[in-house]
Amino acid sequence: MIRTIVFDLGNVLIDWNPRYLYRKLFDNEADIEHFLDTVCTGPWNAQMDRGKPFAEAVAELSAAQPDKAHLVRAWHDRWIETIGGPITPTVDLLERLHDDGRHLVALTNWSAETFPLVRHARAYSFLDRFEKIFVSGELRMVKPNDDIFLHLLEECDRAAGDCFFIDDSAANIDTADRLGFQTHHFTSADRLEDDLRRRGLLD
């Protein structure tokens, strides 16, 4: 029996894409992709998700890539421009689950410095539907590592099999599967709604 539904936030409930920012700073998509592949990479961003201060990470990368320093600084200074807004169809599902009295928590890889920019904004008031939001940058643990999942289970006093975990990352889903969570690899709100109905979590 599923007792707790665990939502990822980025690209499940909140649209995040650094290309939204860098399309304002580059002339073409190829240059953006090269920049994201070689300068402000996923592993570099994961440092902040794990709790590294932005100022430190930006200073280090700017020193290593001085010709790109202004673009690296933009990752922090204009971070809010990487957010595309709520993903409304999924937010609607969250609201329905909340109205049905489901126990809801969130587990997100997100910097402790930037998460408050959305957490307290009116457009993201649906985040209040969660009993607790586990933020990697605050915990200094990140998905897909086991420790952040085990921390959630301990804090929620749940067995893994009691939890339905929703995430857009295959790596995160793989860890959750291995630990015994029930899982849904998110690709669309329609598919998620179908799965929730199949599991008896939505009417």
Side-chain angles (χ1 to χ4, degrees):
M1 182 178 69
I2 294 171
R3 300 172 62 196
T4 296
I5 302 174
V6 185
F7 275 86
D8 177 34
L9 296 183
N11 296 325
V12 174
L13 287 162
I14 298 171
D15 183 13
W16 177 79
N17 190 334
R19 293 163 185 82
Y20 296 148
L21 165 62
Y22 286 102
R23 283 172 185 146
K24 303 172 186 178
L25 302 175
F26 285 92
D27 293 330
N28 62 74
E29 293 289 324
D31 287 345
I32 295 172
E33 295 308 313
H34 181 71
F35 176 77
L36 296 177
D37 286 342
T38 61
V39 184
C40 287
T41 64
W44 177 76
N45 183 59
Q47 296 179 87
M48 282 80 82
D49 286 349
R50 194 179 289 110
K52 187 169 186 173
F54 258 96
E56 183 180 339
V58 167
E60 291 174 355
L61 188 56
S62 295
Q65 301 263 6
D67 59 323
K68 304 289 194 305
H70 64 295
L71 298 168
V72 174
R73 288 194 301 271
W75 189 282
H76 185 210
D77 296 343
R78 299 175 61 175
W79 178 88
I80 195 62
E81 295 174 60
T82 68
I83 296 292
I87 300 175
T88 302
T90 321
V91 172
D92 290 345
L93 292 177
L94 176 72
E95 296 284 6
R96 289 165 61 188
L97 291 166
H98 179 264
D99 290 346
D100 286 345
R102 304 295 179 186
H103 182 231
L104 304 168
V105 300
L107 179 63
T108 183
N109 281 357
W110 206 309
S111 164
E113 294 179 59
T114 54
F115 184 61
L117 298 179
V118 299
R119 177 66 183 93
H120 304 297
R122 179 176 297 180
Y124 305 97
S125 60
F126 59 85
L127 295 173
D128 293 336
R129 304 300 183 244
F130 292 111
E131 179 179 289
K132 186 172 179 62
I133 301 175
F134 296 89
V135 179
S136 65
E138 297 172 358
L139 298 172
R140 296 184 175 269
M141 297 181 276
V142 294
K143 299 177 289 184
N145 297 341
D146 291 10
D147 55 359
I148 196 167
F149 290 92
L150 297 175
H151 176 78
L152 179 149
L153 294 176
E154 182 177 359
E155 289 292 310
C156 293
D157 191 24
R158 295 286 190 265
D162 297 335
C163 300
F164 181 50
F165 175 67
I166 303 158
D167 200 296
D168 67 310
S169 162
N172 297 341
I173 291 293
D174 287 346
T175 296
D177 281 336
R178 178 169 50 77
L179 293 174
F181 285 75
Q182 301 184 57
T183 62
H184 177 89
H185 186 191
F186 181 85
T187 57
S188 72
D190 287 342
R191 282 190 65 249
L192 176 57
E193 181 174 8
D194 289 344
D195 200 1
L196 290 166
R197 289 182 184 279
R198 182 175 61 83
R199 295 171 185 270
L201 296 170
L202 272 183
D203 294 331

